[in-house]
Amino acid sequence: MDGSLRLAELVGRPLLGRHEEAVGRLSDVIVRLRGQEHPLVTGVVGRLGRRREVFLPVTQVARWGTDHVALTSGRMDVRAFDRREGEVLLRADVLGHRLVDVREAEFVRAYDVLLEPVGDGWAVTRVLTRRRRGGPWRRRAGGGREEGWRDWKSVEPLIGHLPTVAGRRVLGRLGRLRPAGLADLLEEANRAESQEILGAVGADPELEADVFEELEPDARARLFRDWPDGQVAAVLGRMGADDAADAIGGLPQERRRPVLDALGAKQRLRVLTLLGFHPSSAGGLMSLDVLTAPADRTAEQALRSVRDAHSLQPEALSSLFVTAEGNRLTGVVPLVALVQAAPSHPLGDLADTDPVRVGPDTDVEDVALLMTDHNLLVVPVVGDADEILGVITVDDVLEVIVPRDWRQRARAPHPSPRPDASRTEPHTPPASP
């Protein structure tokens, strides 16, 4: 058969030898992943009798067809098929399984695969998928399903074959996703899917920490449940202290102390400080990473400090806090004021000397109202002597006051600068009934 082939038309078809003698049936098609390129077909799995499966190299396939697959010879190695590292079985691993749509950061289910000739061989070019309209966020709204063909390059398969997974401990197309998108996938994934996604994400420890910061508490606790204390502590050590404190609070009581003891001394002290405040208070919500400077520091020097503050959240850098002896808060300078000021201008002349501030026991809802009233992106948390303890950013507040089920809501369509040609139906004959 010339042109493209649909996997569903091939599976189960007779395998005929050189003299058209029946030697078995096609059970599966084997491809090898090639990073960002379309996977090449390397062979097929033939079924002899009811159970025995054997390997046939693609070079032994003389012609593909929807009625039968012709072989160059009826001779074959009758040893039982032994899958090798890096091999993907299209029927066993892809058909009926969920893939990751890396553009939409959601799961889709594969219902067919398109094979097309490339050079001297064949490659997987497209996959027929079905997904809920609006994605997993429409679960409670009923949703519906959309079906269409898309380029294989736009999805990431979750193979499940342990040697292949171990050999793919690189991010691949999952590396295009932001931490929040990966967190969304993990929250919907089953156990096997979670393990494979985490295996890929774990190749980048910093990304892994960012993903765990984005996870809902229940999902994070579920994933940590099967991890040893040292592995949990390694991830928490790379997270912000406020997020790490939240994560430890979500662990079973008997695991909290062992995980704390496994943390580095600096992170352990920061986490213990935050755990001393009520979770719904300003102290429990604040981040300990604050950019401060004395009043005699110049705008140029302050901007240099901002550029060097790589470990701080970008949201926390929207303002610089002016402090005096004892880390006492004396003023705040918005970042835009620093950028617009003359380089030699001292911070003391640029600062608002009566900044809005909250105490560590302030209720988080009061913090939200205060930030709304004053249009603040960040608010400092101070102690009894006005010493600055930490800061609360607007995204920290939103995570607390937005309803917990916000992810269930329908999200806006993903903007696209041009029509997505990969979702059009390929010109292939209809599948055989």
Side-chain angles (χ1 to χ4, degrees):
M1 175 180 174
D2 296 328
S4 58
L5 294 165
R6 293 172 65 159
L7 180 66
E9 298 174 331
L10 297 174
V11 172
R13 296 299 181 261
L15 296 173
L16 302 185
R18 183 176 180 181
H19 302 293
E20 298 190 353
E21 71 278 15
V23 296
R25 290 187 176 273
L26 189 142
S27 175
D28 216 325
V29 175
I30 306 169
V31 299
R32 183 168 290 276
L33 299 180
R34 299 191 299 160
Q36 303 297 320
E37 300 301 317
H38 291 130
L40 284 177
V41 175
T42 58
V44 299
V45 179
R47 180 179 289 115
L48 309 182
R50 291 186 177 183
R51 295 184 178 181
R52 191 169 191 80
E53 292 189 331
V54 299
F55 170 74
L56 298 171
V58 70
T59 53
Q60 196 170 339
V61 177
R63 185 175 65 86
W64 302 87
T66 57
D67 53 348
H68 68 272
V69 176
L71 304 177
T72 58
S73 171
R75 293 184 178 182
M76 61 186 67
D77 186 341
V78 296
R79 288 178 297 179
F81 170 65
D82 184 18
R83 181 173 176 174
R84 298 179 180 178
E85 179 182 318
E87 292 181 338
V88 175
L89 307 182
L90 294 181
R91 180 188 62 80
D93 297 334
V94 178
L95 285 191
H97 292 265
R98 298 204 298 182
L99 317 175
V100 176
D101 181 331
V102 295
R103 181 172 177 269
E104 302 288 348
E106 68 180 25
F107 285 110
V108 294
R109 195 171 295 278
Y111 287 88
D112 207 347
V113 173
L114 194 71
L115 306 175
E116 293 188 279
V118 289
D120 296 331
W122 290 78
V124 174
T125 57
R126 294 191 182 186
V127 57
L128 179 63
T129 62
R130 185 177 295 168
R131 67 181 177 92
R132 295 179 183 272
R133 288 196 294 270
W137 293 263
R138 289 284 302 270
R139 286 195 293 268
R140 294 188 180 179
R145 295 183 179 272
E146 292 178 345
E147 185 174 271
W149 289 91
R150 66 189 71 200
D151 195 321
W152 176 272
K153 296 179 181 180
S154 70
V155 299
E156 183 73 12
L158 300 176
I159 303 306
H161 179 237
L162 291 179
T164 295
V165 172
R168 296 173 61 224
R169 290 295 169 92
V170 292
L171 285 172
R173 286 183 284 266
L174 291 179
R176 302 179 194 174
L177 300 183
R178 295 182 178 182
L182 289 165
D184 288 337
L185 290 172
L186 285 170
E187 286 165 10
E188 192 191 349
N190 60 35
R191 185 184 181 91
E193 291 166 342
S194 295
Q195 290 177 344
E196 187 151 352
I197 293 171
L198 287 173
V201 171
D204 183 341
E206 295 303 321
L207 175 61
E208 182 181 48
D210 291 342
V211 170
F212 272 91
E213 288 180 351
E214 295 288 346
L215 284 169
E216 291 292 328
D218 291 345
R220 186 165 52 205
R222 170 174 53 83
L223 293 173
F224 279 157
R225 187 181 303 138
D226 298 329
W227 287 23
D229 295 338
Q231 187 177 356
V232 174
V235 174
L236 299 187
R238 292 187 290 268
M239 293 168 59
D242 51 338
D243 291 303
D246 291 340
I248 287 181
L251 292 173
Q253 185 68 40
E254 65 274 12
R255 294 198 65 191
R256 295 175 189 175
R257 175 51 61 182
V259 171
L260 278 168
D261 290 343
L263 286 174
K266 181 179 179 181
Q267 181 76 330
R268 181 168 61 250
L269 178 61
R270 290 158 64 88
V271 168
L272 286 171
T273 299
L274 292 170
L275 288 174
F277 298 103
H278 193 281
S280 62
S281 69
L285 189 64
M286 69 181 177
S287 168
L288 300 178
D289 296 317
V290 189
L291 187 61
T292 63
D296 59 356
R297 189 75 54 86
T298 66
E300 181 180 19
Q301 291 172 323
L303 283 174
R304 189 178 302 120
S305 297
V306 173
R307 285 194 295 269
D308 293 340
H310 302 295
S311 63
L312 269 66
Q313 292 177 281
E315 297 84 359
L317 295 175
S318 60
S319 295
L320 184 143
F321 298 95
V322 182
T323 55
E325 186 178 356
N327 208 33
R328 182 171 56 86
L329 179 66
T330 61
V332 60
V333 183
L335 179 60
V336 66
L338 286 178
V339 175
Q340 294 174 342
S344 60
H345 213 119
L347 293 181
D349 293 344
L350 297 172
D352 173 1
T353 56
D354 187 23
V356 176
R357 68 201 82 181
V358 296
D361 296 326
T362 305
D363 186 83
V364 66
E365 291 187 359
D366 293 332
V367 176
L369 291 172
L370 194 63
M371 296 181 76
T372 301
D373 288 343
H374 294 272
N375 296 319
L376 299 175
L377 296 177
V378 61
V379 63
V381 182
V382 298
D384 294 337
D386 238 13
E387 74 279 14
I388 188 164
L389 303 176
V391 293
I392 297 175
T393 59
V394 65
D395 63 312
D396 294 327
V397 173
L398 287 174
E399 287 182 5
V400 175
I401 64 174
V402 170
R404 287 286 301 274
D405 63 349
W406 70 272
R407 292 182 188 271
Q408 308 295 338
R409 300 179 61 191
R411 59 179 176 175
H414 196 290
S416 179
R418 58 183 176 81
D420 190 349
S422 67
R423 299 187 184 224
T424 59
E425 179 79 22
H427 296 290
T428 57
S432 302

